[in-house]
Amino acid sequence: MPAQPAAQDAADRCRVPAQPAAQDAADRLRDRAGGAEGDTVRGEHTHGEPPLPRPAVQRSSVRGQILAALRTALVTGELRPGEVYSAPVLAERFGVSATPVREAMQQLTLEGAVEVVPNRGFRVVERGAGELAELAEVRALIEVPVMLRLARTVPAERWAGLRPLAEATVRAASAGCRATYAESDRAFHGAVLALAGNEQLVRIAEDLHRRAQWPLVGGTSGTRGRARLIADAHEHTALLDALIAGDLDVVRSLVGEHFNGAG
């Protein structure tokens, strides 16, 4: 069957256009006249880095937009584990000064996504399957008891109100866009936990969830990766069906399976 328009649009958004070589970007940066003073750091390399997308950036809330773009690049693997990226080169690709890029990368440092490499830039942290398993275990310890408690207390009509969010994860998974799926997946889990009325819980769970979505070194992609996303997404809709029906045994089984798959 031909792809649905919404799914096709999501897939199109995930395509990354060919980018100029990092050396060209560095040359333009050095040649640019009248640039903001202090945008470069002494000894910070600006060449030999892999390409990244260059989305249009509005001037309002530049740092927030750059942070969102870098988080997306982490999920899709465009920011590759083990690679070092300098703020000036990234800034050139985004069409902004290096300051908001450096601030965004510092936030990612606090989140554990990257680490500072003195006089060079920021290295994307390399993660293995063991760390992913640890994150899944911690998420399960936090979220599973809450979901089971909510299953006993939240009325069916409130669960039914989450149906659009669950269906959004299915559409994103079918489109094969990891970034779109990651966003919709967090939205669904966040909406479920929000029913507990505990903002700290939602914040901590979202941070753990975001970390669990970063790619592994040598992680799977392509067909197998897409199949896993689709399976995870359908677990969301099956879980909602069980919650609406009030079937606690099925809810308990589905929640356990979902976290074992790090969904």
Side-chain angles (χ1 to χ4, degrees), residues 74 79-85 108 111-117 120 122-132 134-135 211 214-219:
L74 279 169
L79 284 176
R80 298 201 293 268
E83 294 285 347
V84 177
Y85 298 86
L108 291 177
E111 296 175 6
V114 301
E115 57 189 8
V116 176
V117 180
R120 293 186 61 196
F122 302 85
R123 177 185 290 113
V124 179
V125 173
E126 297 180 271
R127 304 168 58 246
E131 182 177 345
L132 184 62
E134 291 173 354
L135 286 168
R211 291 169 183 255
W214 299 335
L216 302 177
V217 175

Side-chain angles (χ1 to χ4, degrees), residues 211-227:
R211 291 169 183 255
Q213 291 173 331
W214 299 335
L216 302 177
V217 175
T220 59
S221 60
T223 304
R224 287 184 60 194
R226 181 174 178 178

Side-chain angles (χ1 to χ4, degrees), residues 175-241:
C177 179
R178 297 195 68 87
T180 304
Y181 179 78
E183 183 177 352
S184 61
D185 187 34
R186 289 196 310 273
F188 174 78
H189 281 266
V192 170
L193 295 177
L195 295 175
N198 187 327
E199 293 183 5
Q200 298 302 317
L201 167 70
V202 173
R203 186 175 296 113
I204 291 171
E206 181 180 13
D207 178 64
L208 291 170
H209 198 167
R210 191 184 301 278
R211 291 169 183 255
Q213 291 173 331
W214 299 335
L216 302 177
V217 175
T220 59
S221 60
T223 304
R224 287 184 60 194
R226 181 174 178 178
R228 180 65 259 179
L229 294 185
I230 293 173
D232 286 344
H234 282 294
E235 288 174 1
H236 295 154
T237 56
L239 176 61
L240 271 189
D241 290 339

